[in-house]
Amino acid sequence: MEDLKKEEKYKELSIDGHLTTNEHDLPFETAGELIMKNQAEFHPLKFLQGIIEVLEDLNVTIYEHTRAKSADGNTLTTVNNHSIDFEYLIIATHFPFLDIENFYFNSFKISYGYGLVAETSTPIPEHLSMSGHDGAGLSIRNVVKPDSALPVLLFGGLGHGSYEENDMAMQLSKLEHYAGQKTANKDTLYAYRAQDLMTADSLPFIGHFISRISTILSHQVSINMV
């Protein structure tokens, strides 16, 4: 509870939030609840479908199953050595594929996270996205699955750095144990491990791509090492 009280940034950012206890009548005990109001949730595939419709109206050509490997001037080259001419290039991949000398790749922190989707006989209030502050860092979210007779929940947690060697099956078993302490779960429908890449300051790379960045940074590193 004391750690939750220390969270003040949302007030500085004028986010509609407050600290309380058991406001949502959750089926498990909580020391406190830091609630952020008016959050939004969107379906990524439906979002992309809307973008595609806009692009089609603008007569933009869409290439599916096409992987780019390089760009020179106003020409993009694919892994199959096909060329695509463009006027403007926007890179919206996880990190820029124009990765000069592995600069971007080596700037990421790599971590693993675990998740499982389970049917439960313990209903959770709808439209909630909960992130736990316990040892497992357990998060709980509702899953829309119309063909399930029981409510379906997504449990995530037990994240760790890639340098830590943890057995995947053992981690998922632990996660199932933590989830069982919160709700009375029935069948586990899916289980997975995800690999996440985060920048050193947790902020995304954004802005104009400068091809000289590698040369500039190499020069700076050389000066610092002397």
Side-chain angles (χ1 to χ4, degrees):
M1 187 67 171
E2 292 303 316
D3 288 335
L4 292 179
K5 291 179 180 178
K6 294 176 183 177
E7 293 289 345
E8 297 287 340
K9 284 297 179 184
Y10 68 96
K11 295 180 180 178
E12 297 178 19
L13 297 172
S14 299
I15 295 175
D16 185 8
H18 62 276
L19 182 63
T20 183
T21 56
N22 206 30
E23 178 175 317
H24 287 287
D25 192 26
L26 298 173
F28 46 83
E29 184 179 354
T30 59
E33 299 170 11
L34 185 57
I35 297 173
M36 298 295 137
K37 294 284 190 178
N38 301 318
Q39 297 189 59
E41 181 180 85
F42 69 93
H43 194 298
L45 294 181
K46 292 180 180 179
F47 176 75
L48 289 175
Q49 181 61 42
I51 292 178
I52 290 173
E53 292 172 359
V54 172
L55 294 177
E56 288 177 339
D57 290 340
L58 296 173
N59 295 318
V60 174
T61 303
I62 299 174
Y63 298 89
E64 294 185 286
H65 311 292
T66 303
R67 184 176 179 180
K69 69 175 181 179
S70 63
D72 184 14
N74 292 89
T75 301
L76 190 72
T77 303
T78 72
V79 293
N80 296 321
N81 292 320
H82 296 297
S83 297
I84 302 173
D85 294 328
F86 61 86
E87 185 173 355
Y88 298 101
L89 176 65
I90 299 174
I91 301 175
T93 51
H94 197 134
F95 65 91
F97 70 89
L98 299 178
D99 193 0
I100 302 173
E101 299 176 7
N102 288 326
F103 166 71
Y104 290 107
F105 180 79
N106 288 323
S107 300
F108 282 101
K109 299 177 292 184
I110 304 175
S111 63
Y112 291 127
Y114 301 85
L116 59 90
V117 178
E119 293 181 323
T120 178
S121 58
T122 308
I124 294 290
E126 292 183 350
H127 310 303
L128 282 185
S129 176
M130 294 175 284
S131 297
H133 199 68
D134 52 7
L138 194 67
S139 64
I140 305 175
R141 290 166 174 79
N142 294 98
V143 175
V144 177
K145 199 171 187 300
D147 58 339
S148 293
L150 294 172
V152 180
L153 297 177
L154 168 64
F155 299 90
L158 295 177
H160 61 84
S162 59
Y163 55 86
E164 299 179 43
E165 295 186 5
N166 287 304
D167 180 74
M168 177 178 173
M170 182 66 70
Q171 289 293 98
L172 289 172
S173 178
K174 288 180 182 179
L175 185 60
E176 201 165 32
H177 172 72
Y178 278 113
Q181 292 180 333
K182 300 297 184 184
T183 53
N185 302 319
K186 302 298 182 181
D187 294 332
T188 296
L189 306 179
Y190 311 101
Y192 63 88
R193 180 176 72 180
Q195 177 174 296
D196 299 314
L197 282 77
M198 297 295 294
T199 56
D201 57 5
S202 298
L203 297 175
F205 290 125
I206 187 170
H208 293 287
F209 185 87
I210 302 175
S211 59
R212 292 178 58 249
I213 190 169
S214 179
T215 304
I216 295 171
L217 288 177
S218 296
H219 180 61
Q220 290 177 340
V221 172
S222 298
I223 293 174
N224 291 336
M225 292 177 64
V226 172

